[in-house]
């Protein structure tokens, strides 16, 4: 590939760079990142909140020996562990075996880029819940999640969600989680200090006051980020029109991936081609297939159509997203446990068949995947524009003092808005 040009005006700017040298690591643009959640036990999360409540009730009612077995202890958590409450959650901090307390309301989380599931938000049950993420998770927050740094991997390298993400790919690989804001209420963007100001000065604000707002920068990153062996890399254009088109594309991708969260319009296929249930889905479907001739998704004896072939073929890491999504719920509906789990453990508790909510979620997932496939053309067009350059390279960011970022920007901000309950009911110091 030919060397890429960067903007050459001013001192400290390289005029000829290799392709990746012209890009900026995501780790520099969004410097604060958090490792993925580590639950330590599969039964605390899943696609059905009713099943999670049933698991809690069985665990809380069990005798000491049975509770120890059902809990699935690890080095980090046992029924005798006392820990601080999760920020924003009213759960117990005493030892579970002594005072379980009422079941907390399950919270919605994102597994991989497309699978919305549920989690029991009790710190006593989760090996590494990442409290720093819970402190900043609110109605203004967005989370960027890295999924791959290998160019040959199919599927998105980066996704954005308004839900709390677990930070794992569909295949279970961990990825860094990068909140857009470092404090609750959309305060203090998790961006390299001075980056939005530099972009506004180089590219011009135009008539759009939000052209370089934190969410616009995140939208650009979502549209333009590329995988590389050293981590995700982001090209920054020196052309205002390229920036505007990339931000518009990223905002649409963000709307689709977050499924209309925060007041956005929920995804819909154009031209009246929304998928519908043509034949009712069975109570416990076990098989999923695709009828290309009728553009129909066959779910046991049930049928959904029209389902674009692009949605059926949409893959992440070589696995069809729809098949993976269905497989998890088919197992839950039948009470099948994950490989290696005890057949009479909590993973098998609470199976209630195929609830109506899953059908609604499946219809929306089909829509999201079809629309994301339709964005492939605009993404290729943006890629071509970036290949032509010019770009704002790392040298210009260093000359402007944007890079390197201060070490404090890589650590969580001090959040002192309220006290949090520590182990055994004591107040935690933040």
């Amino acid at each position: 590939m030919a060397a890429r040009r960067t903007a050459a005006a001013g001192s400290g700017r390289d005029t000829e760079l290799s392709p990746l040298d012209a890009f900026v690591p995501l780790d520099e643009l969004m410097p604060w990142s958090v490792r993925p959640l580590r639950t330590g036990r599969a039964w605390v999360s899943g696609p059905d909140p009713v099943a999670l409540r049933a698991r809690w009730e069985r665990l809380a009612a069990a005798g000491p020996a049975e509770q120890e077995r059902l809990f699935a202890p690890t080095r980090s958590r046992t029924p005798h562990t006392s820990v601080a409450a999760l920020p924003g959650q009213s759960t117990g901090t005493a030892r579970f075996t002594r005072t379980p307390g009422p079941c907390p309301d399950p919270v919605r989380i994102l597994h991989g880029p497309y699978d919305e599931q549920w989690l029991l938000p009790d710190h006593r049950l989760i090996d590494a819940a990442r409290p720093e993420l819970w402190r900043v998770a609110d109605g203004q927050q967005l989370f960027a999640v890295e999924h791959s740094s290998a160019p040959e991997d199919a599927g998105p390298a980066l996704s954005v969600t308004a839900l709390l993400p677990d930070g794992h790919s569909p295949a279970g690989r961990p990825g860094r989680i990068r909140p857009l804001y470092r404090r609750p209420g959309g305060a203090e963007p998790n961006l390299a200090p001075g980056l939005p100001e530099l972009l506004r000065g180089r590219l011009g604000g135009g008539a759009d006051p939000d052209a370089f707002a934190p969410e616009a920068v995140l939208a650009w990153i979502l549209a333009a980020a590329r995988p590389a062996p050293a981590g995700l890399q982001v090209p920054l254009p020196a052309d205002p029109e390229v920036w505007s088109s990339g931000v518009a594309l990223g905002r649409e991708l963000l709307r689709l991936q977050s499924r209309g969260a925060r007041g956005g319009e929920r995804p819909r296929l154009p031209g009246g081609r929304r998928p519908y249930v043509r034949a009712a889905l069975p109570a416990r479907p076990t098989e999923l297939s695709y009828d290309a001739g009728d553009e129909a998704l066959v779910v046991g004896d049930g049928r959904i159509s029209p389902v674009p072939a692009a949605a059926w073929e949409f893959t992440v890491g070589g696995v069809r997203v729809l098949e993976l999504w269905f497989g998890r719920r088919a197992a839950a509906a039948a009470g099948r446990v994950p490989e290696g789990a005890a057949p009479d453990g909590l993973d098998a508790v609470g199976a209630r068949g195929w609830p109506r909510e899953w059908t609604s979620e499946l219809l929306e997932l089909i829509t999201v995947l079809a629309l994301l496939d339709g964005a492939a053309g605009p993404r290729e067009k943006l890629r071509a524009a970036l290949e032509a350059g010019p770009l704002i390279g790392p040298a210009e960011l260093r000359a402007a003092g944007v890079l390197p970022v201060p070490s404090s920007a890589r650590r969580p901000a001090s959040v002192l808005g309220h006290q949090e309950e520590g182990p055994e009911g004591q107040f935690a110091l933040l």
Side-chain angles (χ1 to χ4, degrees):
M1 186 178 294
R4 191 186 317 277
R5 294 180 298 113
T6 61
S11 62
R13 301 179 192 172
D14 300 317
T15 57
E16 293 292 334
L17 294 172
S18 66
L20 287 181
D21 287 341
F23 295 175
V24 184
L26 177 61
D27 192 55
E28 300 290 344
L29 299 181
M30 299 183 73
W32 176 40
S33 67
V34 180
R35 287 179 295 174
L37 277 62
R38 191 178 75 249
T39 62
R41 48 204 51 82
W43 61 263
V44 299
S45 65
D48 184 5
V50 175
L52 297 185
R53 291 182 182 276
R55 293 169 184 176
W56 173 285
E57 296 299 335
R58 179 177 172 185
L59 182 67
E66 178 70 354
Q67 190 176 84
E68 184 86 12
R69 184 186 70 83
L70 291 173
F71 190 93
T74 60
R75 292 178 61 183
S76 298
R77 295 290 186 271
T78 76
H80 310 282
T81 304
S82 59
V83 295
L86 278 176
Q89 302 296 317
S90 300
T91 55
T93 60
R95 298 172 184 177
F96 190 94
T97 189
R98 186 177 67 205
T99 311
C103 179
D105 291 332
V107 299
R108 200 71 155 152
I109 64 169
L110 187 71
H111 174 70
Y114 307 116
D115 196 346
E116 295 185 357
Q117 299 197 16
W118 297 88
L119 172 72
L120 287 171
D122 191 304
H123 210 179
R124 297 171 296 177
L125 310 180
I126 306 171
D127 280 13
R130 313 304 178 197
E132 59 270 40
L133 291 178
W134 296 76
R135 291 191 184 101
V136 299
D138 59 14
Q140 286 73 49
Q141 186 64 268
L142 291 169
F143 296 98
V145 186
E146 299 177 44
H147 295 292
S148 173
S149 59
E152 66 274 10
D153 283 355
L158 185 75
S159 66
V160 174
T161 177
L163 299 176
L164 184 76
D166 68 10
H168 293 275
S169 73
R173 291 191 296 270
R176 305 294 293 192
I177 301 170
R178 300 181 188 272
L180 178 57
Y181 297 105
R182 293 169 49 81
R183 300 179 186 275
E188 191 177 334
N190 179 27
L191 298 172
L195 177 64
E197 293 77 12
L198 179 140
L199 293 172
R200 183 178 295 277
R202 290 284 282 109
L203 302 174
D208 183 1
D210 297 324
F212 303 95
E215 194 165 314
V217 177
L218 178 61
W220 171 266
I221 291 171
L222 179 60
R226 302 186 193 177
L232 296 186
Q233 306 288 314
V234 182
L236 295 175
D239 185 328
E241 292 186 4
V242 176
W243 173 264
S244 296
S245 64
V247 169
L249 173 59
R251 282 175 168 159
E252 176 62 8
L253 294 172
L254 195 159
R255 183 184 72 87
L256 295 176
Q257 292 187 4
S258 64
R259 307 188 190 187
R262 296 176 50 184
E265 182 182 353
R266 298 196 75 89
R268 290 187 177 183
L269 286 169
R273 280 185 51 80
R274 279 182 278 173
Y276 291 94
V277 176
R278 308 298 179 176
L281 276 59
R284 286 180 170 82
T286 58
E287 296 181 352
L288 182 74
S289 61
Y290 183 67
D291 184 339
D294 290 341
E295 287 192 309
L297 193 67
V298 183
V299 187
D301 296 330
R303 293 178 74 88
I304 296 174
S305 69
V307 176
W312 170 249
E313 296 293 345
F314 202 102
T315 61
V316 172
V319 179
R320 286 194 179 101
V321 170
L322 287 177
E323 287 185 320
L324 189 63
W325 185 96
F326 171 81
R328 292 194 179 110
R329 283 151 184 82
R336 298 198 303 271
V337 301
E339 184 178 353
D344 58 345
L346 292 178
D347 298 287
V349 172
R352 57 173 179 143
W354 187 279
R356 182 178 300 177
E357 296 88 346
W358 288 358
T359 301
S360 300
E361 293 171 18
L362 176 56
L363 295 174
E364 184 167 67
L365 179 58
I366 291 168
T367 300
V368 168
L369 297 180
L371 291 172
L372 286 173
D373 182 79
R379 297 190 81 163
E380 282 301 315
K381 184 177 179 180
L382 177 65
R383 186 184 185 97
L386 291 168
E387 292 290 337
L391 301 179
I392 299 173
E396 183 170 349
L397 297 183
R398 287 192 292 268
V402 174
L403 298 182
V405 297
S407 58
S408 59
R410 300 191 182 278
R411 299 191 295 268
S414 177
V415 179
L416 301 174
H418 62 278
Q419 291 179 311
E420 295 176 6
E421 186 176 342
E424 302 291 343
Q426 302 178 36
F427 282 119
L429 298 178
L430 304 181

